[in-house]
Amino acid sequence: QSEVLIIPRGYALTALGPGDKPGLKWKAKYAALGLNAFNLPSLADGMNEKGLGAGMFYLPGFAQYQKVTPADQDKCLAPWDVVTWMLTKFAGVDEVKAALPKVKVWPATVAGISDSFQPLHYMVTDKQGNSLVVEYVGGKLHLYDNPLGVITNSPPFDWHLNNLRNYVNLSANNVPQLKLEGINIYPTGQGSGMLGLPGDITPPSRLIRAVAFTQAALPAPNGEEAVMSALRLLDSFYISKGMSRAWEKGKVHYEFTQWMDACDLKNLKFYFATYDNLTPKVVDMNKLDLNAAKLQRIPITTGPRFTDVTGLVK
């Protein structure tokens, strides 16, 4: 239930507060766009016109939001409001970091939306390369500078940083031959420096792969090449239907990657691809009416799955 959602400058926004009453109210200082979820008028992942990008990620078993009082009503955000608030209010990571202690994120629920959508943490990155992880654990706000620029799901981010110590041997450089008692022992093939890299789809393993792959990525000469590099890297994290199964009330549920996206924070272009159509699509903020009077939407299920090149035979 996702689509590209475009929030124009000056658009009036209201977060959900306790008691199903309005929480924080604000107007969009900056236009923002990205992908939503569950048809909500809020962004799950996206960017703004100033080159700030942000996304929400699961933190089940650990996310515990802040306690609020009636006096906090007008500064409350529901967990799914946080990304929208950051992208429509701020131009850089430093601004976000300074503003977060002034709002309250409370354990909101919405009828008809799975409880699994509630336990979240966040990453926000600006075009200067500054990155911040935002978590609510034990009812308190935790902020982590994130020079590595990666995030996955549970456990909390500080645990993931400690877990990196188990993989200090990983390298993009192939391991040289080993000589033992006059015998030359050669690697079996390319990629021997990454021997031991975890390949499963659990969040801890995915974070290790994300660090290894992003650190090994070559510099890109332009935005399009950087985006292609990012999308190919994300291919390594795709969950196909059937790979991850859970049973609930006697029924099997399949978790899979519904979409992936990449934000070009310098050129203000938003790229995405879906499970059913891997051909990347792009939304160029420079061509949009960022002063529109209402929310704008773009479906993500358009376009052919395959391009027939039979007619190009020479």
Side-chain angles (χ1 to χ4, degrees), residues 23 34 39 79 88 108 111 120 143 194 212 246-247 270-271 290 309:
N39 284 329
T88 56
L120 302 171
L143 301 175
M194 290 288 184
W247 280 262
F270 181 78
Y271 298 78
L290 302 182
V309 298

Side-chain angles (χ1 to χ4, degrees), residues 101-117:
K102 302 175 185 177
V103 298
K104 295 281 188 178
V105 178
W106 68 287
T109 57
V110 172
I113 294 181
S114 169
D115 287 344
S116 65
F117 188 55

Side-chain angles (χ1 to χ4, degrees), residues 37 87 181 258:
L87 292 181
E181 301 296 337
Q258 297 184 35

Side-chain angles (χ1 to χ4, degrees), residues 277-297:
N277 191 333
L278 292 175
T279 301
K281 298 174 178 61
V282 59
V283 180
D284 188 343
M285 289 195 80
N286 302 289
K287 298 178 181 179
L288 295 172
D289 178 7
L290 302 182
N291 293 307
K294 61 180 183 178
L295 297 176
Q296 298 170 291
R297 303 170 190 267

Side-chain angles (χ1 to χ4, degrees), residues 32-56:
L33 66 81
L35 288 162
N36 69 350
F38 297 105
N39 284 329
L40 288 172
S42 57
L43 301 174
D45 203 15
M47 60 187 290
N48 72 14
E49 62 177 298
K50 291 297 183 179
L52 185 72
M56 59 175 68

Side-chain angles (χ1 to χ4, degrees), residues 197-210:
L197 182 73
D200 61 83
I201 59 176
T202 63
S205 294
R206 285 188 282 117
L207 188 128
I208 298 301
R209 290 207 305 284

Side-chain angles (χ1 to χ4, degrees), residues 72-94:
D72 297 320
Q73 187 77 31
D74 62 356
K75 56 182 179 181
C76 282
L77 294 167
W80 55 84
D81 292 322
V82 175
V83 168
T84 304
W85 172 73
M86 291 192 292
L87 292 181
T88 56
K89 285 277 289 182
F90 308 108
V93 165
D94 286 346

Side-chain angles (χ1 to χ4, degrees), residues 244-249 251-255:
S244 177
R245 312 179 186 196
W247 280 262
E248 184 178 335
K249 297 180 180 179
K251 301 180 75 173
V252 62
H253 298 269
Y254 301 96
E255 179 179 291

